Amino acid sequence: MWGSNARETHPIFFHHVLKAVRNGAKLYVIDPRRTSTADWAHGWLSLEVGSDVSLANGVAHVILKEQLQHEQFIERATEGFDEFKAVIDRYDLARVSADTHVDGELIAQMARDYAKADRAMICWTLGITEHHNAVDNVLALINLSLLTGHVGRWGSGLNPLRGQNNVQGGGDMGALPHKLVGFQDVEDDEIRGRFEKAWGCKIPAKNGWHLTEMFEAMHRGDLTALFVLGENPAQSEADSTHALKCLEGLEHLIVQDIVMTKTAEMAHVVLPASASWCESEGTVTNSERRVQRVRRALKPPGKARDDIEILCDLAHRLGFDMQTGTPEGLWNELRTLSPMHAGMSYARLEALGGIQWPCPDEKSAGSPFLHGRLWENPVRGMKASFNAAEQVGPVDKLDADFPLRLTTGRRLESFNTGVQSGAFAWPQKRGETLDLSPDDAKKLKVADGERVRIVSRRGTVEAPVRFDDDLKPGLAFMTFHFPDDVDTNLLTIDATDPRSGTAEFKAAAIRVERIRQ
Amino acid sequence: MKHDVKRDVTVTIDGKPVTVKEGATLLDACKSHGVDTPTLCWAENLTPVNACRVCVVELEGARVLAPACSRKAEAGMVVKTDSPRVRLSRKLVLELLGSSVDMSLSSAFADYSKRYAAEPARFGKKLAPSAAGVRESAHPGHHTVLDGTRAETVAQPTKVDNELFVRDYDKCMLCYKCVEACGTDAQNTFAIAVAGRGFDARIATEHEATLPDSACVFCGNCVGVCPTGALMFKVEHDLRKSGEWDEKKQTETDTICPYCGVGCVLTLRVQDNAIVRVTSPSDSTVTGGHLCVKGRFGFTFVEENRRADRGGSD
Amino acid sequence: MDLRIPKDEATDAERSAVDAATADLNVDAKARRALLLPALHALQSRVGWVSKGGLYYICSRLGVPPAEAFGVASFYALLALTERPRAFAHVCDDIACLAKGADDLCREVEARLGPAAHGHQKADAHSQKGKAKASGWARSPCLGLCERAPAALVTIAGDKPADCAFGAATAAKIEAALRGKPPAIEEAYVASEGPRRLLARIGVADPKSLASYRANGGYTALKRALELGAAGTLRAVNDSKLVGRGGAAFPTGRKWEAVAREAARPHYVVCNADESEPGTFKDRVLLEGDPFAVIESMTIAGLATGSEHGYLYLRGEYPLAQARLENAIQLARSHGMLGDNVMGKGLKFDIELRRGAGAYICGEETALFNSIEGLRGEPRNKPPYPAQFGLFGKPTAVNNVETLVAVLDIVRDGAAQYASVGTSDSPGTKLFCVSGSIVRPGVYEVPFGTELGALIKLAGGITPGRKIQTILLGGAAGSFVTPEQLDLPLSFEATRKAGATLGSGVVLVFDETAPIQEILRRIAAFFRDESCGQCVPCRVGTVRQEELLSRICGGKSTLRIELPLLKDLGAAMRDASICGLGQTASTAIESAVALGLMERKT
């Protein structure tokens, strides 16, 4: 588990992990904090925030040095090994230990266990992806799986754990600036042609902007009208001072949501929507690519309407007659355009309790894992590439003015900006805190529970201190579940990986000031 | 994929041969043969504890009866599921439970009681419920000797210490399911365990700490597996108390949790357009019937008064 | 594990006591968990109770969830989870002592020390919490000192904890013991008819001296076993037809062979010294009087079964046996009779002594395993059996003390010699615990097949001037026989034929003055108190059975009215309970009813 506190953020997934641990699987947790996930680990690697690439390269270094790599697999199914090896040669344990502050023997032990395992998996979450070099982080992990052949086989592989119930489905459905439904390229004329024919309209031939680019465009004044569906960017974006300024500068803001979020409060028009998971019919896709049915259990309140209805009505008013079909009818249309969904009728989704894509026809039971082709001889299609990554630290550097590393994350009972999770009566309710190691707190002469000022290069918030033995000195932790009380994202940096568009929520530099009474 | 080659095992159930895979229990064998076996402490998503003993069957050559839920089928076993011995033991188990525990919310119990003509009242009128804390103060190996004219029960006040679920141990038959769900079978939180001994054995946190003060993380998986309503969602508890709980008005709909990307199947029980209970099907490959606190209790944000439109009329 | 442990702090004394009992934590999670009961004992021995801070300190040290640790601590009668005086007396009021005036004794103790800490007889007893007194007391089930009834156990916590158990208890003796002045140690009365095998060294060899043990034939059997090797030893035990003396009478040789055959490792040997059957004290006599014999025979079992680890699970109420066993194990170790190279012959075997904490059910072999493992002493469903899935889930040979000691003669002299006495189906000798209304109560070794009347005669007969009303054979889980059955041969086959059982060798004689109804009610109360609570037939059935007897005793009902219910209860408990406790909880009562004892008003 790399950069993932699944015990709290993906609890039911972690039930499966624990079952494996009880069956003898070894669990390593790589996380700067001793999380409740790390408490279950055979080995906890408490790396420095943002040193993931170095650690992964160090693991590769050990594997190569001890000749534990899967030679045959590398030979047959991969390319770019030599260039990769040249980079890895520079990541000996002495260097990696210095970068990561993790004991070299522990790194070597994990490397051996990973390489020698019959089946092994790397799971990660935002600890990997909420960095300005997120893609490098991911590539560094992919390299490990290629090196050992732990990919494309049952029980092995790479498993990014999705944070929302349909973040996978959103991408599957083409809610990406460069993809149509089923991850098909917008800029591919033939593909686009098929969609245009089916839909009876023209589709812009160029990739769109992803979220970060959209904010940049707002900042420049190139983007003046924004339609937000079920998202709360006024509170969820890094460096929220900047985000709010962008949103305020819009000529027109439409928000379609089920509740009045901070973003909705700024909107010119709010379209009350039904809650898709319990007031609508449709599908979502989970982290393991399993398409599952959501169903209507409740009648939406008041004027709230189904998303499909709102969108079709809107299209109609914009002069395009988008026929309002049933959710199942729309799904069946999609199946004709997206080969990986072709075999998933509602009836089959129902009968099988969801199906994992790709599912090309109605005989297919779906695909519990991907990349099996890498084990075919000869390999069908492209070989998998090693992409060596180099260690670069976080953008927001520590210095005398900002000496503490703030990392952000989530708690079991809460969810993102608290729009959903803030409503129920969690019995152990506590609001936002600045979690500090007792050592740091002592140095700062602050008491447990004392309200302090937290300052970053971008903003200032106030929050009470909470002593946390699971943090090492120099490391501080906050969530962003309570933005109405403490807007943690005033502190975070919007340094963003240009390839993924994700900001570096995991690494800000801060200082803590006592508030004089 | 792993392939476990399992041999066939043939047993005789009520005179008829039944073939099951090695490792199957007698309960599996009975099921595959269409023999309806009563169970109370058994659940398909939990390790059998064979504590209630209502599933006992007679094994030829065995001195005592065997619990079908956990006894593995062995080649050549001759099983009787409806012999006088079996019927008597099942009847007694039902009577003993019925005389000591409030089983009124278990429809299975009512069905079995009818089938086996159980008369819990044979053991006399019930003793008045004990005051709060009395059952918890019992010392193992000691009890207060009474004159025997009233049947002792586990009746006691309901524990309400949070807004998510209540513990009404008046209805606890000590099936161990909640402990298993809180423990290694699912949640691995170990907030509750069986404490005390004998008739004073009970489900408890350490030193009877309230749930918010205990290790409990409020996943509600204990509530999800409770067969008697001893553990109950607060919403349901309150509706029952006010007399508004009405199963005839209720629907159940399967959908997917609105939180993280794991995709847990939720079964929403709805009454008067409000969610009154959230469970998960125990045969779901994703959840195995278990949920986390957000999936189980985090639904209130869809309530009308919290919505963007705030329920205004057209 | 992501444990959440309450913040209550342990005191320094509590901490150091727990630390000493859990010194080696560099072991896996299962082995750490197995230190739970020793840690709880250490805590209570130091401060007199299992304090919150102490309990949670144990949890954090061993990595045990607090709710589970609480569940385990609250399982045992000897452990207190609320504060009580450091000096504490447990006064036996079980069947043997009841017939010897235990109720009067309890009343006198109550007059001196105040109400009992844990209610048993009085409806208002629950409200009596231990106050800041110097000493307290509670009633207790059988303490295994039946030959000197009534009995008491006194525990004194502190820097130098001192526990003592004694018979012929009086309120004055108990008070003195609570003040730290225990009565002098008394050895049990033992006698035999025919060859003394099991009792050969009792009262002859010094139980504290390895040299004395060896001078009296000690370690000749292990020497022979080492010559015979595992296979030869197994053959000898098999040929002897030795069966278990704990009550279940399973062939010992078959048990050992099954363990030896198992591929899974490690194997374990467990000595079940949790003697708690009311009326039983023979194992105590062996443990106190011949502790090295138990060690030697366990070592032979280790050799035969391929086990390197032995556990000796001793009931918590036997402080003298504990002290002598601790000493004996220590001496055996330091003299190379335990360890990596036993007797210089390359045999590896060592023994860990574990103490129970007041739970009859832990005498059930699988409950005993759970107790050692730091779990609640709840029996497991069988199969799987201990030979396949025993202690820590590994193949385990578990034997009663008397069974193990019997092995010594068998190995040394051969099966044929062993069978020179006894019957053809029950060869050898057997220990009987003769108590009650008898001239010379004690432990008697007689050949199998000796008639009941002859055994009673050997013990001096019934108290002069009294008549035998009935005799309880085999303990609370056994059955009653009448004076007309004195010609009953004491062998497994003959008692089985008569519908009785030898059980653990209890021969408890009641004269015509004994209040049989009250004694039956006490037996019912015993099973209710000792039921682990796991399965419905036993948990609730034992309560209903006691209520039923209470109704009859109190004149609120009659046997005629209650009989159908009693029979149904008995049948369900016998047929549907998980373990032997529930299965036999009605045996004695039903046998008394069958003999018409319930109707005899005294």
Side-chain angles (χ1 to χ4, degrees):
Chain A
M1 308 282 315
W2 203 309
S4 166
N5 185 14
R7 176 63 158 162
E8 297 193 44
T9 56
H10 299 86
I12 301 304
F13 163 78
F14 202 64
H15 285 184
H16 294 270
V17 173
L18 288 177
K19 219 164 257 175
V21 168
R22 292 201 185 277
N23 285 337
K26 277 207 172 136
L27 174 66
Y28 284 92
V29 172
I30 296 99
D31 199 306
R33 297 188 296 145
R34 187 173 175 99
T35 59
S36 49
T37 308
D39 279 338
W40 286 96
H42 297 97
W44 167 48
L45 285 74
S46 173
L47 81 178
E48 287 292 292
V49 175
S51 64
D52 304 80
V53 168
S54 181
L55 182 59
N57 287 352
V59 171
H61 189 96
V62 173
I63 291 172
L64 286 170
K65 190 172 165 200
E66 302 188 6
Q67 304 207 315
L68 301 171
Q69 70 272 30
H70 197 305
E71 286 286 4
Q72 268 185 320
F73 181 81
I74 295 169
E75 178 66 33
R76 203 184 56 230
T78 70
E79 55 193 21
F81 176 71
D82 293 338
E83 298 88 319
F84 168 68
K85 187 172 180 306
V87 173
I88 296 304
D89 281 346
R90 285 187 276 109
Y91 285 84
D92 59 62
L93 282 184
R95 184 224 158 139
V96 171
S97 272
D99 285 348
T100 60
H101 295 189
V102 178
D103 173 48
E105 188 38 47
L106 186 56
I107 298 171
Q109 194 189 319
M110 177 172 80
R112 287 180 204 122
D113 282 341
Y114 176 70
K116 288 180 181 171
D118 182 26
R119 287 163 297 182
M121 195 182 280
I122 301 176
C123 303
W124 71 85
T125 319
L126 300 177
I128 282 295
T129 47
E130 285 184 346
H131 284 287
H132 78 281
N133 56 341
V135 173
D136 276 352
N137 283 346
V138 173
L139 289 173
L141 301 183
I142 292 174
N143 291 337
L144 295 180
S145 74
L146 296 179
L147 194 57
T148 52
H150 285 317
V151 68
R153 289 183 301 132
W154 171 261
S156 283
L158 296 153
N159 191 352
L161 302 171
R162 301 303 207 166
Q164 283 113 357
N165 78 334
N166 201 29
V167 68
Q168 179 69 49
D172 296 358
M173 295 302 108
L176 294 169
H178 57 305
K179 297 285 179 189
L180 288 159
V181 175
F183 297 102
Q184 303 182 79
D185 289 336
V186 169
E187 296 189 349
D188 183 314
D189 293 341
E190 194 215 312
I191 289 170
R192 208 173 56 253
R194 262 195 283 134
F195 278 86
E196 288 176 343
K197 201 171 149 210
W199 289 349
C201 68
K202 272 280 170 211
I203 298 170
K206 283 274 162 230
N207 286 345
W209 288 321
H210 58 57
L211 186 57
T212 309
E213 289 165 340
M214 287 163 80
F215 270 91
E216 284 163 9
M218 284 183 243
H219 183 68
R220 291 195 307 270
D222 293 346
L223 193 161
T224 54
L226 188 68
F227 186 8
V228 177
L229 291 90
E231 178 88 30
N232 184 19
Q235 290 182 312
S236 62
E237 289 301 289
D239 193 355
S240 44
T241 313
H242 174 70
L244 283 172
K245 211 173 281 168
C246 290
L247 292 171
E248 279 161 2
L250 288 167
E251 288 171 19
H252 193 61
L253 175 61
I254 312 166
V255 170
Q256 179 170 322
D257 209 321
I258 62 167
V259 292
M260 282 300 285
T261 60
K262 272 275 171 305
T263 314
E265 282 170 9
M266 298 171 70
H268 300 91
V269 177
V270 176
L271 300 170
S274 61
S276 62
W277 66 283
C278 63
E279 294 167 354
S280 299
E281 297 287 330
T283 65
V284 292
T285 309
N286 77 353
S287 207
E288 45 172 3
R289 295 168 285 101
R290 189 188 298 272
V291 178
Q292 298 165 291
R293 287 271 285 112
V294 291
R295 296 180 185 82
R296 179 176 169 138
L298 297 169
K299 193 160 59 59
K303 288 186 279 192
R305 296 172 67 190
D306 197 286
D307 292 306
I308 293 174
E309 255 185 80
I310 296 174
L311 291 175
C312 291
D313 222 12
L314 193 65
H316 187 73
R317 299 222 188 161
L318 289 169
F320 178 72
D321 186 21
M322 198 190 271
Q323 296 201 343
T324 313
T326 62
E328 187 173 6
L330 291 172
W331 178 255
N332 285 335
E333 176 199 293
L334 172 138
R335 288 169 58 208
T336 65
L337 290 167
S338 172
M340 67 187 208
H341 293 105
M344 299 182 183
S345 66
Y346 263 30
R348 297 193 73 222
L349 289 175
E350 189 99 24
L352 298 176
I355 300 175
Q356 288 169 278
W357 62 249
C359 175
D361 56 55
E362 296 216 11
K363 281 190 202 77
S364 163
S367 311
F369 59 91
L370 297 179
H371 313 303
R373 64 178 184 87
L374 294 176
W375 290 92
E376 289 172 15
N377 201 2
V379 168
R380 188 162 42 87
M382 270 168 52
K383 290 189 172 190
S385 306
F386 281 98
N387 287 285
E390 295 278 7
Q391 169 65 24
V392 286
V395 172
D396 208 15
K397 299 283 180 230
L398 300 180
D399 61 19
D401 286 340
F402 299 98
L404 286 174
R405 175 61 72 205
L406 172 71
T407 194
T408 64
R410 289 151 174 82
R411 290 188 201 149
L412 170 69
E413 76 290 353
S414 296
F415 190 67
N416 294 346
T417 57
V419 171
Q420 294 180 183
S421 58
F424 79 102
W426 172 248
Q428 291 152 346
K429 200 142 242 170
R430 60 182 170 90
E432 190 63 81
T433 52
L434 171 71
D435 296 356
L436 288 177
S437 85
D439 280 1
D440 285 335
K442 217 168 280 168
K443 265 188 244 158
L444 290 162
K445 299 192 172 63
V446 295
D448 204 3
E450 180 179 333
R451 208 173 164 74
V452 294
R453 188 176 301 121
I454 307 139
V455 186
S456 83
R457 295 189 175 98
R458 291 153 298 281
T460 300
V461 299
E462 289 183 9
V465 165
R466 180 178 156 271
F467 287 15
D468 186 349
D469 290 323
D470 297 329
L471 292 173
K472 52 187 177 181
L475 185 63
F477 177 79
M478 293 178 81
T479 79
F480 47 94
H481 295 316
F482 312 95
D484 295 345
D485 305 327
V486 181
D487 194 352
T488 305
N489 280 333
L490 290 171
L491 304 172
T492 52
I493 184 167
D494 66 350
T496 299
D497 188 306
R499 291 164 291 180
S500 68
T502 312
E504 194 156 58
F505 289 94
K506 292 296 181 191
I510 58 160
R511 70 166 172 269
V512 175
E513 296 174 354
R514 296 193 69 187
I515 301 170
R516 308 229 175 237
Q517 303 299 319
Chain B
M1 258 188 242
K2 260 174 110 180
H3 292 286
D4 292 324
V5 183
K6 286 186 175 166
R7 286 179 304 174
D8 283 345
V9 174
T10 301
V11 299
T12 306
I13 294 178
D14 298 333
K16 301 224 173 70
V18 177
T19 302
V20 291
K21 290 285 170 211
E22 190 180 21
T25 61
L26 292 179
L27 182 64
D28 298 329
C30 286
K31 276 188 175 166
S32 74
H33 184 48
V35 174
D36 181 21
T37 309
T39 57
L40 288 168
C41 70
W42 177 87
E44 66 178 318
N45 58 347
L46 300 171
T47 311
V49 290
N50 52 71
C52 79
R53 316 301 282 186
V54 80
C55 70
V56 287
V57 294
E58 191 169 339
L59 278 186
E60 203 172 272
R63 191 172 44 86
V64 295
L65 304 179
C69 69
S70 64
R71 187 61 182 268
K72 299 265 193 295
E74 292 166 35
M77 274 181 169
V78 177
V79 184
K80 288 185 206 157
T81 71
D82 203 39
S83 68
R85 275 172 77 192
V86 169
R87 292 190 67 87
L88 180 66
S89 277
R90 288 182 180 179
K91 173 181 147 99
L92 260 289
V93 163
L94 294 166
E95 289 178 340
L96 291 171
L97 277 177
S99 69
S100 57
V101 181
D102 174 2
M103 299 292 288
S104 60
L105 293 186
S106 166
S107 57
F109 180 82
D111 293 345
Y112 304 151
S113 293
K114 215 163 158 192
R115 190 192 308 174
Y116 294 100
E119 299 170 66
R122 286 210 283 162
F123 295 106
K125 286 199 174 124
K126 289 179 178 176
L127 202 64
S130 45
V134 168
R135 273 187 61 78
E136 290 86 342
S137 72
H139 190 91
H142 294 81
H143 70 279
T144 305
V145 175
L146 305 170
D147 68 5
T149 55
R150 288 278 188 278
E152 279 193 58
T153 71
V154 299
Q156 58 190 298
T158 306
K159 292 181 199 294
V160 185
D161 58 20
N162 69 85
E163 287 303 308
L164 300 184
F165 67 92
V166 304
R167 295 175 290 158
D168 180 8
Y169 288 134
D170 189 4
K171 298 189 176 70
C172 177
M173 60 166 280
L174 217 67
C175 68
Y176 288 61
K177 282 180 181 171
C178 55
V179 176
E180 292 198 296
C182 191
T184 49
D185 273 352
Q187 181 54 33
N188 286 279
T189 288
F190 311 99
I192 47 172
V194 179
R197 195 167 84 192
F199 194 68
D200 298 317
R202 62 193 190 276
I203 307 296
T205 58
E206 63 277 7
H207 280 286
E208 326 300 335
T210 64
L211 289 178
D213 282 341
S214 77
C216 178
V217 293
F218 296 92
C219 62
N221 287 325
C222 53
V223 189
V225 297
C226 180
T228 60
L231 303 173
M232 189 181 278
F233 300 110
K234 179 79 165 18
V235 178
E236 177 175 344
H237 172 78
D238 291 348
L239 285 173
R240 284 181 185 275
K241 220 167 140 187
S242 64
E244 293 168 89
W245 182 261
D246 185 354
E247 297 196 355
K248 285 195 290 297
K249 283 163 69 183
Q250 292 170 2
T251 56
E252 277 196 342
T253 309
D254 282 0
T255 189
I256 301 299
C257 176
Y259 285 94
C260 80
V262 173
C264 296
V265 184
L266 305 183
T267 302
L268 305 181
R269 184 174 267 261
V270 170
Q271 178 182 326
D272 300 324
N273 208 41
I275 297 169
V276 293
R277 189 195 282 170
V278 180
T279 53
S280 184
S282 53
D283 61 354
S284 161
T285 52
V286 176
T287 67
H290 305 296
L291 296 171
C292 80
V293 59
K294 296 188 286 292
R296 181 86 65 185
F297 295 108
F299 57 81
T300 48
F301 69 95
V302 297
E303 284 172 0
E304 190 161 344
N305 59 1
R306 301 179 195 275
R307 297 296 284 271
D309 180 48
R310 302 196 198 280
S313 57
D314 287 84
Chain C
M1 212 191 269
D2 48 349
L3 287 181
R4 185 168 154 198
I5 295 173
K7 291 205 157 57
D8 306 65
E9 291 277 332
T11 63
D12 289 344
E14 290 166 350
R15 241 178 258 270
S16 66
V18 171
D19 288 350
T22 57
D24 185 10
L25 289 179
N26 195 20
V27 291
D28 68 14
K30 269 194 164 183
R32 273 203 304 275
R33 176 70 186 245
L35 294 172
L36 179 55
L37 188 51
L40 290 168
H41 266 308
L43 176 62
Q44 173 152 317
S45 295
R46 181 67 186 79
V47 298
W49 65 300
V50 176
S51 64
K52 271 192 188 181
L55 180 69
Y56 300 149
Y57 179 66
I58 291 172
C59 289
S60 59
R61 204 167 150 78
L62 301 182
V64 178
E68 287 198 357
F70 180 76
V72 170
S74 62
F75 187 83
Y76 295 102
L78 287 183
L79 300 178
L81 281 159
T82 47
E83 191 164 9
R84 70 182 187 193
R86 290 194 173 195
F88 200 84
H90 304 263
V91 184
C92 180
D93 71 346
D94 216 322
I95 42 176
C97 290
L98 192 62
K100 293 274 186 180
D103 263 341
D104 292 338
L105 174 61
C106 285
R107 267 190 289 277
E108 209 178 319
V109 171
E110 184 166 18
R112 295 187 188 210
L113 298 177
H118 315 302
H120 190 263
Q121 295 282 340
K122 291 234 164 53
D124 62 349
H126 279 304
S127 58
Q128 302 291 338
K129 290 269 164 61
K131 296 186 189 104
K133 284 185 190 165
S135 55
W137 76 286
R139 288 171 181 254
S140 165
C142 181
L143 291 169
L145 285 158
C146 319
E147 84 276 19
R148 279 168 283 159
L153 165 73
V154 168
T155 56
I156 299 174
D159 272 344
K160 295 191 182 71
D163 297 353
C164 62
F166 49 91
T170 61
K173 269 196 201 174
I174 290 169
E175 272 198 313
L178 286 167
R179 286 194 307 268
K181 294 193 182 71
I185 292 171
E186 269 188 86
E187 304 292 341
Y189 179 80
V190 299
S192 65
E193 174 137 305
R196 261 202 199 198
R197 292 174 172 171
L198 300 159
L199 298 178
R201 277 175 294 268
I202 305 291
V204 177
D206 177 357
K208 297 189 283 296
S209 159
L210 177 59
S212 171
Y213 178 67
R214 299 197 75 160
N216 286 282
Y219 280 108
T220 51
L222 178 58
K223 187 161 168 280
R224 179 74 186 130
L226 285 163
E227 289 162 12
L228 290 170
T233 305
L234 279 174
R235 200 172 315 120
V237 176
N238 250 334
D239 290 349
S240 75
K241 294 195 204 167
L242 177 68
V243 302
R245 307 296 198 230
F250 189 84
T252 307
R254 266 173 55 200
K255 198 185 267 187
W256 286 14
E257 259 177 3
V259 175
R261 253 201 321 268
E262 286 294 319
R265 284 288 187 277
H267 293 179
Y268 292 103
V269 167
V270 173
C271 171
N272 184 347
D274 192 49
E275 176 175 70
S276 311
E277 183 68 40
T280 314
F281 48 96
K282 62 179 177 76
D283 291 344
R284 191 200 89 233
V285 168
L286 291 176
L287 294 160
E288 288 176 356
D290 201 4
F292 293 101
V294 183
I295 294 169
E296 183 184 355
S297 57
M298 283 180 73
T299 312
I300 292 172
L303 168 74
T305 58
S307 313
E308 294 178 352
H309 315 276
Y311 281 87
L312 200 164
Y313 188 93
L314 177 70
R315 78 175 296 204
E317 293 87 342
Y318 281 176
L320 181 60
Q322 185 196 346
R324 288 184 177 172
L325 283 165
E326 278 169 356
N327 171 66
I329 290 171
Q330 212 42 57
L331 284 174
R333 239 177 239 151
S334 60
H335 287 79
M337 310 310 277
L338 285 175
D340 289 343
N341 187 15
V342 174
M343 293 187 97
K345 294 287 195 313
L347 177 71
K348 197 173 169 191
F349 189 77
D350 211 330
I351 295 174
E352 201 170 318
L353 180 67
R354 288 304 183 94
R355 248 182 100 201
Y360 167 70
I361 189 59
C362 289
E364 198 284 338
E365 54 196 17
T366 57
L368 189 156
F369 300 152
N370 281 348
S371 180
I372 292 178
E373 291 181 28
L375 307 172
R376 289 165 57 79
E378 293 174 355
R380 307 171 185 168
N381 215 62
K382 290 187 275 191
Y385 297 99
Q388 286 79 43
F389 191 90
L391 185 62
F392 300 112
K394 300 296 180 188
T396 302
V398 50
N399 293 105
N400 166 263
V401 174
E402 183 188 347
T403 317
L404 283 166
V405 174
V407 165
L408 296 177
D409 281 19
I410 292 168
V411 170
R412 191 187 55 225
D413 304 334
Q417 171 64 25
Y418 182 74
S420 64
V421 296
T423 67
S424 61
D425 285 335
S426 304
T429 60
K430 171 86 191 89
L431 297 182
F432 287 95
C433 318
V434 184
S435 68
S437 187
I438 198 88
V439 173
R440 282 189 302 276
V443 172
Y444 290 81
E445 181 174 11
V446 295
F448 275 107
T450 302
E451 286 182 4
L452 177 57
L455 175 63
I456 289 172
K457 207 164 152 199
L458 188 65
I462 182 95
T463 310
R466 293 283 164 78
K467 288 201 306 265
I468 296 177
Q469 180 183 188
T470 184
I471 300 159
L472 180 61
L473 268 193
S479 46
F480 287 93
V481 296
T482 62
E484 291 77 47
Q485 289 171 284
L486 288 177
D487 58 352
L488 178 69
L490 297 171
S491 66
F492 291 112
E493 61 278 10
T495 47
R496 202 176 303 131
K497 210 169 137 203
T501 168
L502 289 184
S504 53
V506 170
V507 176
L508 184 44
V509 180
F510 296 99
D511 64 34
E512 76 279 12
T513 66
I516 294 299
Q517 284 190 355
E518 216 17 70
I519 282 158
L520 293 177
R521 202 204 55 74
R522 181 65 185 90
I523 288 174
F526 173 80
F527 282 110
R528 179 212 168 133
D529 279 338
E530 299 301 332
S531 166
C532 78
Q534 194 182 185
C535 70
V536 173
C538 176
R539 179 177 74 240
V540 191
T542 54
V543 172
R544 297 292 175 254
Q545 178 174 266
E546 191 203 9
E547 286 170 351
L548 188 153
L549 286 163
S550 287
R551 288 198 289 276
I552 298 175
C553 286
K556 311 269 187 188
S557 186
T558 64
L559 180 61
R560 247 173 63 110
I561 295 170
E562 303 287 354
L563 198 55
L565 207 50
L566 184 67
K567 287 198 157 158
D568 279 2
L569 272 174
M573 286 197 284
R574 191 162 49 246
D575 261 354
S577 296
I578 291 179
C579 79
L581 188 150
Q583 288 162 10
T584 58
S586 67
T587 310
I589 291 158
E590 288 190 86
S591 80
V593 169
L595 297 176
L597 293 170
M598 287 285 282
E599 279 94 348
R600 287 185 208 181
K601 280 279 166 201
T602 51

